[in-house]
Amino acid sequence: MKSTLNISRSALQTNFRAVQSVVGDDVEVLAVVKADAYGHGAALCAPVLAQAGAKWFGVSDVEEGAIVRAAVGAGARILVMCGMEFGDAAAMLAHDLTPVVWRPAHIIALQEAALAANLYCRVHLEIDTGMTRQGCAIGAELADLLGQLQNASHVICEGVMSHLCCAESAGAESTRRQQARFTEALEQISQAGATPAYIHLANSSAVDEGSTAVALRGAANACRAKLMVRPGFALYGHVLPLEGAAGDAARLSTHLTPALTWSTSITDVRDISPGTTVGYGATYVATRDMRLALLPVGYADGFRRAASSGLGDGWVMIAGKRAPVVGRVSMNLTVVDVTDIASVEVGDDAMLLGEGVSAEDHAQWSGTIAYDVLCGIRGNRLLSH
Ligand SMILES: *Cc1c(COP(=O)(O)O)cnc(C)c1O
């Protein structure tokens, strides 16, 4: 690989502590390290977050759970958030993972595996409060699920969760509705005699926005459960702009530091004269004498084709200055303009993402969100101070 992802240990830890201090010490902060820690490397980041105080980790699936288990060791708790497959039950137990479940069939599979392994399996129930993705509906569906749990001697309801669809929108009607439905589900669960130890709804934006903590406090007290939050994006130093908020309502955004810088080095430099075309499609035609630098990264590495000149008009940073992309980004190569940057040489560093070129800039060029950009970056990962 021709590029390096530098992950800052201190930024990860600062961000974790920022979340913890915003939510308060009585709230459990589950560190979401799914999707390979949003491209930062789950095996690299999870132990760093554990040192900062994280006792819970959120992963996508069983395979990632096993990787994080190996990285953080026994004792830490690992929630498998993005869909349990029935064939996963034995592996969940073998790696001491905690699945999110919402169908009676999940419980049946886990009960069988738990009996076979002579272990108990703790699960978190997901309630569908309006995301319409995972989760069980309040009422008859939830009653079925709770009934199945009562029959399952070796499956324990340790947590109840849901997920917000519009957390970055301050005072959103849909958020209020989801908070109310979640509270209603907790009442149904309590009435059925289940006693979850944790309840959780908030992602990074919900922590930033703040209303979810207020809305759930009473429900947590009523069922004597601990509140938990599930930040991911914020741990890596990002949060979406809080929409519709008055003044400085965002509680988190000013305390975060991006944890990733992505860099490469220049592999060639050449001078061209007016009329020369650059790259696929000959979309760029030089109108003056130019000096170009070649970078050994392209869209296969996650430097999006949308950064091409004439499309998103992306740039990289060389010697602290913007070097605009020239022509189309290729699969493994990108050409940038260094005409106005003094004495650029082969081997010089080029910052692909970092100071002067943020994940949010990449997202802007590509018509997407920074989450998507971060998850797509490939290169050698290095943990730095
Ligand atoms: C991804 C995810 C999160 C974390 O969301 P962020 O916006 O990155 O903080 C929390 N909960 C669930 C269920 C998720 O899938």
Side-chain angles (χ1 to χ4, degrees):
M1 298 229 203
K2 304 280 180 47
S3 67
T4 303
L5 284 76
N6 215 295
I7 318 294
S8 161
R9 172 192 292 276
S10 60
L12 287 173
Q13 298 191 334
T14 304
N15 295 334
F16 181 88
R17 293 194 189 106
V19 173
Q20 186 76 71
S21 90
V22 165
V23 297
D25 282 342
D26 58 336
V27 174
E28 192 75 42
V29 178
L30 174 147
V32 177
V33 294
K34 71 184 179 193
D36 208 13
Y38 296 39
H40 295 63
L44 211 64
C45 295
V48 173
L49 292 163
Q51 277 171 12
K55 296 183 178 62
W56 282 83
F57 298 89
V59 299
S60 332
D61 54 28
V62 163
E63 286 73 27
E64 194 167 57
I67 289 166
V68 171
R69 173 61 70 210
V72 295
R77 298 297 306 279
I78 301 173
L79 188 69
V80 180
M81 303 194 304
C82 304
M84 179 189 151
E85 292 173 52
F86 301 118
D88 290 342
M92 288 282 183
L93 288 152
H95 299 291
D96 188 21
L97 308 177
T98 306
V100 166
V101 301
W102 65 95
R103 295 286 181 216
H106 291 141
I107 311 280
I108 294 169
L110 290 166
Q111 165 73 3
E112 264 176 33
L115 277 178
N118 197 23
L119 290 167
Y120 286 87
C121 181
R122 293 170 288 197
V123 298
H124 289 215
L125 306 188
E126 181 157 357
I127 311 300
D128 180 18
T129 55
M131 179 67 109
T132 320
R133 207 171 60 167
Q134 298 188 159
C136 132
I138 299 162
E141 247 182 61
L142 180 54
D144 266 4
L145 188 66
L146 292 166
Q148 196 63 59
L149 261 173
Q150 260 154 12
N151 294 334
S153 55
H154 286 53
V155 180
I156 297 154
C157 171
E158 185 193 32
V160 180
M161 63 168 298
S162 187
H163 195 44
L164 297 171
C165 58
C166 305
E168 69 278 14
S169 171
E173 181 52 37
S174 64
T175 300
R176 268 201 293 277
R177 197 161 48 232
Q178 287 193 270
Q179 289 160 350
R181 282 190 188 146
F182 189 59
T183 306
E184 201 185 313
L186 291 168
E187 281 162 14
Q188 187 181 344
I189 288 163
S190 288
Q191 275 160 22
T195 52
Y198 297 96
I199 64 169
H200 42 113
L201 181 58
N203 69 339
S204 299
S205 286
V207 171
D208 192 38
E209 191 262 348
S211 74
T212 296
V214 177
L216 295 191
R217 181 63 65 187
N221 289 342
C223 59
R224 279 191 239 104
K226 187 169 187 179
L227 268 180
M228 187 184 253
V229 294
R230 306 183 308 263
F233 206 34
L235 301 180
Y236 309 103
H238 304 263
V239 70
L240 295 173
L242 190 54
E243 295 163 13
D248 56 354
R251 305 187 306 161
L252 196 52
S253 44
T254 52
H255 305 289
L256 302 175
T257 310
L260 171 71
T261 57
W262 182 29
S263 59
T264 187
S265 45
I266 295 169
T267 49
D268 194 38
V269 176
R270 72 180 60 218
D271 293 310
I272 61 169
S273 37
T276 307
T277 69
V278 183
Y280 282 119
T283 57
Y284 189 90
V285 187
T287 56
R288 55 170 184 157
D289 288 322
M290 291 177 80
R291 174 160 288 184
L292 304 179
L294 182 67
L295 307 178
V297 291
Y299 55 77
D301 306 286
F303 195 82
R304 302 290 182 95
R305 191 169 176 279
S308 299
S309 63
L311 300 176
D313 292 310
W315 66 88
V316 304
M317 298 297 288
I318 294 174
K321 299 210 176 75
R322 278 192 189 189
V325 173
V326 178
R328 294 282 187 255
V329 173
S330 312
M331 190 180 291
N332 302 101
L333 294 168
T334 299
V335 174
V336 297
D337 180 4
V338 293
T339 312
D340 300 326
I341 305 174
S343 62
V344 170
E345 287 177 35
V346 170
D348 285 358
D349 285 342
M351 182 72 81
L352 301 164
L353 193 159
E355 181 96 46
V357 52
S358 66
E360 287 72 17
D361 290 325
H362 281 255
Q364 178 89 39
W365 311 333
S366 313
T368 186
I369 53 175
Y371 287 78
D372 182 12
V373 169
L374 294 173
C375 289
I377 296 174
R378 276 181 284 280
N380 286 321
R381 292 200 194 97
L382 216 72
L383 193 61
S384 71
H385 140 89

